[in-house]
Amino acid sequence: RCIHCPPLRCLHAVLSRRCTRPSSRPDGGGFTPRRRWIHTTQVLHLVVAAAGRQWPELWGGSFRSQVGGHIEAANGDCGWGFRGDWRDPCGGACIGQFAYSDESCDERCVVAEGIYWAVTSALGGAFTHAMAEEARHEWLMGTPAGAPVLPLSGCPNKRSLAGGAPALYRMVTERTGEGSRWLPSMMPDGAYRGPAAVFRLVPPNNASRRLGGGVIRRGGEG
């Protein structure tokens, strides 16, 4: 885990580990939807951490940040595990679409999880019956805008992301602002084309862009 290091150094470390490379898998690296989801999860969490450091008022890991306020609103009155008042959002005992039961996941962690769910849901990455069932006690907005809400028995709080948390939906889909251009516009499918190294890490004094404590530069520059 990369807990206390600059996000992009963590990203470099994660991408350097064999476990994150599909080609290193014993089965030859077939990029199944489940494996693709795991890879996306780990990288997206690191990018979110970098965005939170660069634009804390927008993406910081607190309910006081703009995205944090939207995530707290999506909780309704379902509570959080770290506060000891979590209630199942799927059970009808509370009104909300996102509630994380893990007692070890504090406010910063909850905001990061909420961003991750919102981004992937907006891109259609959570729009499967299997994902809806897996997340039913945590996240009930896996349906992207314009699609029929996935059926989920016993979950009266289920919504599309745009319908259940419109402000959060707008924040993760409007990619034109200075602090929002990092947001992805599609889910990866495991089929990558182009140069082998599109991005590479470079020394800070040659950086064209800095995020957190690390540096990214396009591979074709310089």
Side-chain angles (χ1 to χ4, degrees), residues 61-139:
S62 164
F63 292 145
R64 295 185 299 275
S65 70
Q66 184 173 332
V67 73
H70 298 329
I71 288 168
E72 185 178 34
N75 176 261
D77 62 349
C78 293
W80 306 106
F82 77 93
R83 289 181 175 170
D85 60 353
W86 177 85
R87 288 185 289 178
D88 187 353
C90 189
C94 62
I95 300 174
Q97 284 77 44
F98 175 47
Y100 207 51
S101 62
D102 188 343
E103 296 178 1
S104 68
C105 188
D106 60 12
E107 184 174 323
R108 178 182 295 274
C109 169
V110 163
V111 171
E113 290 294 329
I115 297 172
Y116 147 75
W117 274 119
V119 169
T120 51
S121 295
L123 298 177
F127 190 51
T128 68
H129 292 286
M131 285 304 304
E133 284 294 334
E134 183 172 327
R136 65 184 292 139
H137 303 298
E138 177 181 335
W139 177 263

Side-chain angles (χ1 to χ4, degrees), residues 40-219:
T40 301
T41 299
Q42 299 306 318
V43 174
L44 182 56
H45 272 307
L46 292 171
V47 176
V48 167
R53 294 190 182 192
Q54 185 74 4
W55 301 285
E57 72 285 356
L58 294 176
W59 304 102
S62 164
F63 292 145
R64 295 185 299 275
S65 70
Q66 184 173 332
V67 73
H70 298 329
I71 288 168
E72 185 178 34
N75 176 261
D77 62 349
C78 293
W80 306 106
F82 77 93
R83 289 181 175 170
D85 60 353
W86 177 85
R87 288 185 289 178
D88 187 353
C90 189
C94 62
I95 300 174
Q97 284 77 44
F98 175 47
Y100 207 51
S101 62
D102 188 343
E103 296 178 1
S104 68
C105 188
D106 60 12
E107 184 174 323
R108 178 182 295 274
C109 169
V110 163
V111 171
E113 290 294 329
I115 297 172
Y116 147 75
W117 274 119
V119 169
T120 51
S121 295
L123 298 177
F127 190 51
T128 68
H129 292 286
M131 285 304 304
E133 284 294 334
E134 183 172 327
R136 65 184 292 139
H137 303 298
E138 177 181 335
W139 177 263
L140 302 180
M141 298 185 290
T143 301
V149 178
L150 286 171
L152 203 57
S153 62
C155 292
N157 293 339
K158 64 182 181 297
R159 305 281 190 279
S160 68
L161 179 59
L168 180 58
Y169 170 76
R170 287 193 298 270
M171 191 167 183
V172 299
T173 55
E174 294 177 357
R175 308 177 183 93
T176 56
E178 170 62 25
S180 300
R181 295 191 184 108
W182 64 271
L183 287 161
S185 59
M186 64 180 67
M187 286 288 292
D189 61 3
Y192 303 110
R193 296 172 296 278
V198 178
F199 291 97
R200 62 187 176 91
L201 294 178
V202 298
N205 59 337
N206 293 327
S208 60
R209 182 64 186 271
R210 187 186 303 269
L211 271 177
V215 177
I216 277 187
R217 186 178 178 184
R218 286 191 178 274

